[in-house]
Amino acid sequence: MKKTILSGLCLCLILTGCKPVWKNLNLSFSQRAAALVAEMTLEEKVSQMWHRAPAIERLGIPEYNWWNECLHGVGRAGHATVFPQAIGMAAMWNKEMVFEIATAVSDEARAKYHDFQKQGKRGIYQGLTYWTPNINVFRDPRWGRGMETYGEDPFLTGELAVQYIKGLQGDDPKYLKLVATAKHFAVHSGPESTRHSADVHPGKRDFYETYVPHFKKVVQQAGVWSVMGAYQRLWGEPCCGSFFLSSLLRDTWGFKGYIVSDCWAVKDFYEEGMHGVVETPAEAAALAVRAGTDLNCGSTYPFLTEAVQKGLLEESLIDTAVQRLMLARFKLGMFDPQRKVPYSKIPLSVVACDKHISLAREAARQSMVLLENDGILPLSKDVQKVAVIGPSAHDTEVLFGNYNGYSKNPVTPLEGIREKLPGTSVTFAQGCALAEGLPYLVPIPGDVLYTDSTLSRQGLMGKYFNHWGQERKQVNELVDLNIDFTWWDRAPFTGMDDRHFSVTWTGVLCVPESGRYALGAEAFSGFSLSLDGKPLVSRHDEHHPRKEYEYVHLQAGKPYEIALSYIQNKTEYAMVRLLWEPPGKDVMAEALQVAQESDLVILCLGLSPLLEGEEMKVMVEGFNRGDREDIRLPQTQTELIKAVKKLGKPTVLVLLNGSAVSFDREIKELPAILEAWYPGEEGGHAIADILFGDYNPSGKLPVTFYKSIDQIPAFEEYSMEGKTYRFFRGEPLYPFGYGLSYTTFEYEPIALPRTISCNQNVEITVRVTNTGHRDGEEVVQLYVSLPHASHPAPIKSLQGFEKVFLEAGESRLVSFTLDPEQRSSMDENGVWIARPGEVVVEIGGQQHTFHQFYDGEEV
């Protein structure tokens, strides 16, 4: 009887709709987050504080992985539109376009998230909390991750970052579209090789004037909901365990969101040879939480339970951190009926839709910077024979950059030019290696692969396995002629789990020529490659694909046993390729022959994400862990350019790279040079549009191109003196803000007061006229100099910019407002001080600059 009564009581509770307080939609998100955390045990709270947060089934909380990327498109989550790399977006100098791109990216992110939810997928790269954008100042061109930033200027960075974050987070008054994360806080820009142990000591003026004003701007103007700490120490404190930095964010600037550590950065607190500020994982976790880091990307925060039990940390600080994290999830609508969340209605069809692909093409066109043009551009479409030469001419890797998504239809420069000139003979030649020691890897052809040592049947034997938990079951067996597979959102065969499968290929490699071969593979998840039973290369990383290779000497006619294993593990994009570079081919001779027989030569050169990037294993002289030790174009490319130039053919150089490069006068004197960055999936179309006159180039450099590293201080030096246009006193190869056009512009001052008071805003207006014969866009740039400031000040600083489109002959008024802080110098304590004196304002674009002087008055 008693049992029956209790059962009836439980049924009554369900029928009358009683539910936990945190599910009450009439309460604020903050109240609901606090109520939810109050129901958790210590162990449950701790479990929610690392990036792979498990489900709490008794409370109905599903598992959640906080790790996602969308630097220039939804990254690492399968098919998505790929926009120009961040440095290319910066070169657009177009705030409205940056916002439009971010809106498209967040549309795709939301659509993919809800589709993942329907499928029960809750893994890495399938959530709504994005670790984007990277807004560190690109202070030195040697830094490999500079491509991820908006350049070397804090004002340009801040203005663009505000727009990107607004586009990601949306404008709904209640719900966040995504969570954006400003990273890496603070004073982080290489070297990659020392980032886990370095202690950085910038001057206070450099800190407040250069390294953090854009972080302040995204907190106060964009309402960014997350900030990621950097790896290194700042003034002795690990950035992910810095009381000073978290106080600056929250107490001084009013930051309301959560702080996340960079990945495995908290482990650096105690690991030998790293920061060494504590001795144990529990101490490291406690330090990070006490200093305000709420979320751990890594594996240290599970030790928080031990830290609380040992008295290293108060449980109330755990409560505060978890409330911040749950508040973000509430604001994303994760615990509300989806009908109430407006962004849940975005259809999956928005992913890589025609509108977004068109936007990617327009963004790529706007990002490209014309560095040189003796009048050869735009090129005639009536040309009969064109040679497209260079290792970057037909390589999707240099389209995508890093932290990227994947396009089903990327357009390389070669493909874009061929499409632009359907009646023209367009011939490709590799020409050179990107750098000495970096192979040009292509899929191994089937005519050197055999199923066994009898060499009677071409191809490798492939065995395909399904994975269900610990169970591994063979699904199919067949001969594949070569290994070059991409499976978009599907498994190789019906009945296979598209996220949990593996393939092993075995057979024999027999080459026709003895020599030194580069052998390797590329895959999205994990792989291992062996030769004659000995491991050759392997990769155990589900984050992103990267080529791995080794050099081996092979004898002609000798059969070598080869085995490749591929494991697909919880990713949305399956790709595996067996690659090589054979010996003996004289690629320069071939390129010169092709060039000699052509009427026009287009060289596609530069760098690659294989050479520059984040903490990489690079086996090439001149490159170190993803950074560069020199900024010159690699010698292999320089030799090719000069050899082609001697032929006397009309030649255009297209650079594809993520950071500034330098070259000598002989190369600078080429008829035309176009900087294309890593331009995204539509890069080939955009390059062809510009070269052949269907688009007037409008990009401007977001970084200084130096003549050599001899012009700038050591990479490890974090003082800004001598670095970036704001503190560099030498003559650059190309200055910050530089970029040519196919038309010309003139400026006329309209409103430029001669004298103002120190505490007044200043309104400045100029008339800009397109004086050429082509329609075009101009980036109107405003710089301020304080030649007689009471404290040291930059040589000049960008304080305003506007991109305007003008038809040929059209004029437009462009206005700026300068507030007192923009005309002030900063003291050592980070206080802006405006004093009477001369202020120099420069307004213009590439071809004209207007100077005006102001005399401040005492207030």
Side-chain angles (χ1 to χ4, degrees), residues 651-669:
T651 302
V652 175
L653 173 60
V654 178
L655 296 170
L656 296 104
N657 42 277
S659 53
V661 294
S662 68
F663 36 80
D664 61 23
R665 180 177 294 277
E666 185 177 353
I667 294 176
K668 194 173 187 292
E669 291 173 349

Side-chain angles (χ1 to χ4, degrees), residues 587-610:
V587 292
M588 180 179 285
E590 179 187 51
L592 294 178
Q593 180 66 33
V594 168
Q596 184 64 56
E597 296 171 354
S598 299
D599 305 314
L600 168 69
V601 179
I602 299 173
L603 293 168
C604 297
L605 300 169
L607 298 173
S608 164
L610 293 176

Side-chain angles (χ1 to χ4, degrees), residues 425-447:
S425 172
V426 179
T427 306
F428 165 70
Q430 177 190 333
C432 68
L434 271 170
E436 188 66 39
L438 183 70
Y440 188 78
L441 296 168
V442 297
I444 298 180
D447 59 7

Side-chain angles (χ1 to χ4, degrees), residues 5-20:
I5 294 172
L6 287 175
S7 300
L9 177 60
C10 293
L11 179 62
C12 176
L13 287 172
I14 294 170
L15 293 176
T16 55
C18 293
K19 56 186 177 183

Side-chain angles (χ1 to χ4, degrees), residues 68-339:
N68 302 274
E69 308 285 354
C70 63
L71 183 63
H72 53 120
V74 178
R76 305 174 179 174
H79 190 204
T81 308
V82 185
F83 294 93
Q85 177 60 289
I87 193 69
M89 284 197 279
M92 298 188 307
W93 289 62
N94 188 332
K95 289 174 281 190
E96 291 76 16
M97 178 67 79
V98 167
F99 177 81
E100 193 173 350
I101 291 170
T103 300
V105 171
S106 56
D107 279 351
E108 295 194 9
R110 263 290 176 173
K112 292 175 80 69
Y113 167 77
H114 291 289
D115 185 59
F116 290 144
Q117 293 288 297
K118 291 175 185 177
Q119 300 177 61
K121 297 179 178 180
R122 300 178 181 276
I124 190 170
Y125 310 131
Q126 295 171 346
L128 291 174
T129 47
Y130 280 81
W131 295 347
T132 299
N134 181 343
I135 63 172
N136 293 127
V137 167
F138 193 3
R139 65 181 176 87
D140 192 298
R142 287 166 283 201
W143 187 34
R145 296 190 70 181
M147 71 168 92
E148 302 171 26
T149 75
Y150 298 129
E152 70 183 36
D153 182 76
F155 183 85
L156 178 65
T157 295
E159 292 294 294
L160 299 181
V162 164
Q163 296 305 314
Y164 201 78
I165 290 166
K166 285 183 174 181
L168 293 185
Q169 295 194 160
D171 59 0
D172 187 81
K174 182 175 183 179
Y175 293 101
L176 287 169
K177 193 176 187 184
L178 307 178
V179 164
T181 302
K183 63 185 187 185
H184 309 83
F185 196 59
V187 196
H188 176 63
S189 49
E192 288 296 294
S193 60
T194 61
R195 66 183 188 171
H196 298 286
S197 58
D199 188 6
V200 176
H201 287 261
K204 289 291 183 68
R205 183 179 293 110
D206 283 339
F207 177 79
Y208 286 108
E209 189 177 63
T210 298
Y211 289 115
V212 300
H214 42 298
F215 281 96
K216 177 182 179 182
K217 184 173 286 186
V218 299
V219 168
Q220 296 184 339
Q221 296 185 21
V224 70
W225 205 255
S226 173
V227 172
M228 176 179 281
Y231 282 112
Q232 85 285 345
R233 280 170 285 161
L234 174 65
W235 299 316
E237 281 189 318
C239 290
C240 293
S242 172
F243 294 86
F244 165 73
L245 289 176
S246 62
S247 177
L248 182 64
L249 276 173
R250 291 189 169 118
D251 302 330
T252 306
W253 297 344
F255 175 62
K256 303 299 184 186
Y258 64 88
I259 299 173
V260 56
S261 76
D262 208 336
C263 293
W264 283 267
V266 179
K267 187 172 70 170
D268 292 342
F269 292 11
Y270 63 88
E271 278 218 330
E272 184 177 355
M274 303 307 180
H275 296 313
V277 294
V278 295
E279 295 183 356
T280 68
E283 290 175 300
L287 172 59
V289 173
R290 284 191 286 110
T293 299
D294 306 297
L295 180 67
N296 175 214
C297 176
S299 54
T300 309
Y301 272 19
F303 290 92
L304 284 170
T305 303
E306 177 186 339
V308 172
Q309 292 169 347
K310 288 184 175 180
L312 299 173
L313 180 71
E314 300 88 350
E315 188 171 350
S316 61
L317 295 179
I318 298 280
D319 294 342
T320 299
V322 181
Q323 285 177 28
R324 290 180 182 134
L325 298 175
M326 290 300 143
L327 176 59
R329 293 181 66 175
F330 275 108
K331 290 180 72 66
L332 288 165
M334 291 182 177
F335 300 126
D336 287 1
Q338 291 305 287
R339 67 180 184 277

Side-chain angles (χ1 to χ4, degrees), residues 634-742:
Q635 185 66 25
T636 54
Q637 300 184 41
T638 298
E639 291 173 356
L640 173 65
I641 295 169
K642 293 183 177 181
V644 169
K645 187 178 180 184
K646 288 179 180 178
L647 299 177
K649 297 285 184 176
T651 302
V652 175
L653 173 60
V654 178
L655 296 170
L656 296 104
N657 42 277
S659 53
V661 294
S662 68
F663 36 80
D664 61 23
R665 180 177 294 277
E666 185 177 353
I667 294 176
K668 194 173 187 292
E669 291 173 349
L670 284 170
I673 303 175
L674 179 69
E675 174 57 74
W677 314 107
Y678 299 136
E681 66 177 83
E682 284 291 299
H685 282 148
I687 288 169
D689 288 343
I690 289 175
L691 295 185
F692 292 93
D694 291 325
Y695 180 79
N696 188 348
S698 63
K700 306 293 182 183
L701 293 180
V703 290
T704 301
F705 276 42
Y706 303 99
K707 292 180 178 178
S708 78
I709 57 171
D710 296 335
Q711 290 185 300
I712 53 177
F715 187 11
E716 297 79 7
E717 178 55 63
Y718 267 80
S719 168
M720 290 305 300
E721 184 57 39
K723 291 189 174 184
T724 77
Y725 81 96
R726 297 167 70 234
F727 302 96
F728 174 65
R729 302 183 186 277
E731 181 183 353
L733 183 66
Y734 299 105
F736 175 87
Y738 174 91
L740 301 175
S741 171
Y742 293 157

